[in-house]
Amino acid sequence: MSTTTKNPDDNLDNVSQTSKPPIIEKRYWFSFVLVASLFPLWGFANDITNPLVKAFKDIFLISNAQSSMVQFAFYLGYGIMAIPAAIFIRKYSYKSGILLGLALYAIGATLFIPASVYMEFYFFLAALWILTCGLALLETTANPYVLSMGHPDTSTQRLNLAQAFNPIGSLTGMFIASTFILNKLQVEEFRQAEKAAHPEYANMLPSDVDAQLVQALNDFSVNEPVAHKAMQAADLATVKGPYVAIAVVVAIVFLGFLFSKLPSTISHKNDFTVDEFKATFKRLLSNGRYIEGVIAQAFYVGAQIMCWTFIIHYGMTSVGLSAGEAQSYNMIAMGIFLASRFICTFLLGFIRPGQLLMVLAAGGIALTSGVIFLGGMPGLYCLIGVSACMSLMFPTIYGIALKGLGDDASLGSAGLVMAIVGGALMPPMQGALIDGSSIIGDIPSVQTSFFLPMICFVMIALYGFRAHVKYKA
């Protein structure tokens, strides 16, 4: 009878094959929590800024397309800063990238002070652009850093977990925008006074009432320019307050990171030459899963920003809500988004990321169809429901696209952060559709404009399908 010698290492191999690696290794817990604290900061900035599109439209008496330049300026920073941020991080360190990002964030928020003093719309756009350059650095740093904190097989779950803290900042930003900005604006008080003075508005379509109120504001600016200027000054001071407060918070976080030690998970080379950059760039361009992920991410961010920005316009013009009431529904949408993020993170333990992404994108297509064709409160409920489908998309696309890139992930992350520029390009397009005539019969243009987000969800569903079938992700 023959015997065989059993290698003790075989037991280890069997364990490694059968046991699931932890989402976060013990040695990374402190670093993970510290870096995860950054995620609410850009969530706050995103969602306190979204309502400014409608607020600046009324304060400065500009069109929807012009006011959408708020989103253009905000997300343009991602497109411009992403690759320089990646090079900076690769040359120095993740910690250096975080510190520079926090500094630019605080500076941009502080610039709201002179912008409100000079009462210039484009000064606010410049401040938002500088702030967003800081956010681009933070996102280019934090996302790949979280992905690298453990086993590659749990990287997407890990990023979804970190991203789950993002809606906490978003909800805070929405609450402050509703409570301390939209409900405190004198221009909103003017609109409500006009409604009270014209009881016949109760029998008119919400979109027609909104047009009458806009005309009343224009007449007020012409007939009483001094009073209108004073109202503008008061409202811009109201807008300024929360940005000054967040600048102080970000400065405190800056000090926290300055005196903390972050472990290195990916090598950072001081000799990151032009040739090395070109070689990395070439490898990324030849990676189909990555390139398709960048494209899908641009469509996702565009869809997200359109759905969350124009929910206020939808509520006011298709339902007849006030700005504050419409923003409260935005907060409900964000609460659903937050709950869905944790649920989807759990589901990723049983369902492959590409498959779940495809299913939820299909849900987004169905719900935006309801926004377009149902209208009124049913359409608003559909618009709120879209947030449940969107919760998974950003970190999952990110994780699928960057999986297995190793040191190339720092530059690869920049491409995915640059894709956030989709949030700069698409909202002005939707704003122009809202300003124009309806593209479907008598359906209000604010409803038909949601064909743009629907197209975005189609593209995301296609990437989810390809990730699941072709890339086995």
Side-chain angles (χ1 to χ4, degrees), residues 175-328:
F175 173 78
I176 290 177
S178 177
T179 306
F180 298 102
I181 296 181
L182 295 179
N183 286 333
K184 300 294 184 181
L185 294 178
Q186 291 187 15
V187 69
E188 183 61 25
E189 294 176 5
F190 179 92
R191 290 173 64 95
Q192 296 306 315
E194 282 292 308
K195 282 186 177 181
H198 295 83
E200 68 274 16
Y201 287 173
N203 300 317
M204 297 171 60
L205 291 173
S207 56
D208 294 335
V209 173
D210 187 68
Q212 292 291 331
L213 296 176
V214 170
Q215 185 58 52
L217 275 168
N218 279 285
D219 293 341
F220 178 64
S221 69
V222 173
N223 298 328
E224 299 185 51
V226 175
H228 181 258
K229 203 76 172 176
M231 184 172 72
Q232 277 186 317
D235 285 348
L236 293 176
T238 299
V239 169
K240 169 192 68 179
Y243 283 88
V244 175
I246 193 61
V248 174
V249 172
V250 171
I252 294 171
V253 175
F254 176 92
L255 293 176
F257 272 91
L258 183 63
F259 295 108
S260 297
K261 190 173 183 179
L262 297 179
S264 176
T265 58
I266 297 178
S267 62
H268 298 280
K269 302 175 182 179
N270 292 324
D271 58 342
F272 191 46
T273 63
V274 173
D275 289 341
E276 187 177 356
F277 175 86
K278 290 180 179 178
T280 303
F281 191 68
K282 186 176 180 179
R283 286 194 296 272
L284 291 174
L285 287 179
S286 64
N287 188 322
R289 180 172 63 182
Y290 171 75
I291 293 298
E292 292 174 29
V294 171
I295 296 170
Q297 198 73 288
F299 280 106
Y300 164 69
V301 176
Q304 176 192 292
I305 302 308
M306 287 187 285
C307 289
W308 288 350
T309 296
F310 293 108
I311 191 172
I312 296 177
H313 296 68
Y314 188 96
M316 295 178 72
T317 59
S318 287
V319 184
L321 304 175
S322 68
E325 289 170 336
Q327 176 66 358
S328 68

Side-chain angles (χ1 to χ4, degrees), residues 322-394:
S322 68
E325 289 170 336
Q327 176 66 358
S328 68
Y329 282 96
N330 212 357
M331 293 175 65
I332 294 172
M334 182 53 65
I336 293 172
F337 183 91
L338 175 60
S340 180
R341 176 64 64 76
F342 284 105
I343 293 170
C344 288
T345 300
F346 171 76
L347 290 176
L348 282 173
F350 308 94
I351 305 173
R352 288 165 65 180
Q355 187 176 21
L356 193 54
L357 179 66
M358 177 177 56
V359 171
L360 291 180
I365 295 169
L367 288 169
T368 47
S369 298
V371 175
I372 296 166
F373 295 107
L374 295 178
M377 287 304 300
L380 183 59
Y381 293 144
C382 287
L383 187 51
I384 292 170
V386 170
S387 290
C389 299
M390 293 194 298
S391 65
L392 172 89
M393 294 178 180
F394 184 92

Side-chain angles (χ1 to χ4, degrees), residues 353-355 357-358 400 459-469 473:
Q355 187 176 21
L357 179 66
M358 177 177 56
I400 292 171
M459 299 302 295
I460 296 164
L462 180 61
Y463 181 64
F465 174 78
R466 288 178 61 78
H468 175 59
V469 174

Side-chain angles (χ1 to χ4, degrees), residues 5-17:
T5 304
K6 191 173 183 180
N7 189 339
D9 290 341
D10 291 341
N11 292 329
L12 295 176
D13 290 339
N14 291 332
V15 170
S16 64
Q17 291 173 7

